[in-house]
Amino acid sequence: MAFLSRSILALSIALSSTSVFAQKQCDVELRHGLIITDDVIRIVDKGQTRVQINNNNQLFIRGYWVDLSDDESKVLEQFSNGIRHTVPELVNLATDGVNLGDAFKSREGNIEDRINDMGQRMDIISKEIDKSLQKKAHQLELKASEYCECLNALDVTESRLQAIVPGIADFDLVQIKS
């Protein structure tokens, strides 16, 4: 029983180190659903397409086409490209952040064959987990910082587009919280 308690404590300590990468925060919320295909971006609210961007240059709001000048179309294209670049990468980042199974893989050979004592194995496993988590946390911190900057730029572009087409403000996609 004491062995089991010691093992659980060692594993808990190793897993608690994952909070290290949360030092610098970027509190962002994507307020609506998104569907992204090769030539269409759809902003979805309550199961309905509210905003649609075709081929980065045609804008539809609530099913109505919005006629844009060449300069306005460039802002729409920036917004569309920003979504295409940033959102899929955020999904990957979030997936990487919760996918802590890599941490349980040993990088230094077969631990089972080298160590027979269960207590020693748990100590080594917890150290391996800790090293993997520290490395992963650092990588995620760097990626998160990069995408925070991308999301801030996307929010600025979205604000420019909202100034041009006020109707799109009803479906504000990127919300940066202070």
Side-chain angles (χ1 to χ4, degrees):
M1 187 68 162
F3 167 73
L4 182 59
S5 297
R6 188 179 71 205
S7 300
I8 290 172
L9 177 64
L11 193 55
S12 296
I13 290 169
L15 293 176
S16 69
S17 65
T18 59
S19 64
V20 172
F21 76 96
Q23 293 169 355
K24 183 178 179 183
Q25 292 186 353
C26 180
D27 198 0
V28 178
E29 180 178 281
L30 297 180
R31 300 202 54 179
H32 300 282
L34 271 176
I35 299 172
I36 302 172
T37 64
D38 289 342
D39 49 353
V40 176
I41 294 175
R42 295 189 307 153
I43 298 175
V44 180
D45 185 45
K46 297 179 183 164
Q48 298 290 316
T49 298
R50 304 301 183 179
V51 176
Q52 182 166 322
I53 302 169
N54 295 339
N55 300 310
N56 297 335
N57 62 10
Q58 286 184 329
L59 177 63
F60 293 84
I61 300 175
R62 294 186 178 104
Y64 294 99
W65 178 57
V66 178
D67 189 22
L68 300 173
S69 70
D70 288 342
D71 288 340
E72 294 168 340
S73 291
K74 288 178 184 173
V75 175
L76 178 64
E77 183 177 4
Q78 281 181 319
F79 181 62
S80 179
N81 286 331
I83 290 173
R84 288 182 184 286
H85 172 75
T86 306
V87 174
E89 293 299 326
L90 285 175
V91 172
N92 290 337
L93 179 64
T95 302
D96 283 349
V98 296
N99 186 11
L100 290 166
D102 289 346
F104 291 94
K105 295 179 184 172
S106 173
R107 305 273 192 258
E108 296 181 10
N110 189 341
I111 293 173
E112 301 290 332
D113 291 341
R114 294 184 300 155
I115 301 169
N116 292 324
D117 180 66
M118 188 62 153
Q120 288 177 330
R121 275 188 282 173
M122 287 307 295
D123 288 342
I124 289 174
I125 288 171
S126 69
K127 287 176 185 174
E128 288 294 316
I129 290 170
D130 192 44
K131 282 195 300 190
S132 293
L133 290 175
Q134 291 294 334
K135 182 178 178 183
K136 187 71 150 185
H138 181 68
Q139 291 169 343
L140 289 174
E141 184 178 339
L142 294 175
K143 283 183 183 180
S145 178
E146 178 185 336
Y147 291 116
C148 186
E149 291 174 22
C150 290
L151 282 167
N152 279 309
L154 182 60
D155 189 46
V156 168
T157 303
E158 183 179 39
S159 295
R160 289 177 49 215
L161 185 60
Q162 290 169 345
I164 294 167
V165 184
I168 203 169
D170 292 339
F171 308 105
D172 191 17
L173 181 64
V174 181
Q175 291 272 312
I176 307 287
K177 298 178 182 179
S178 301

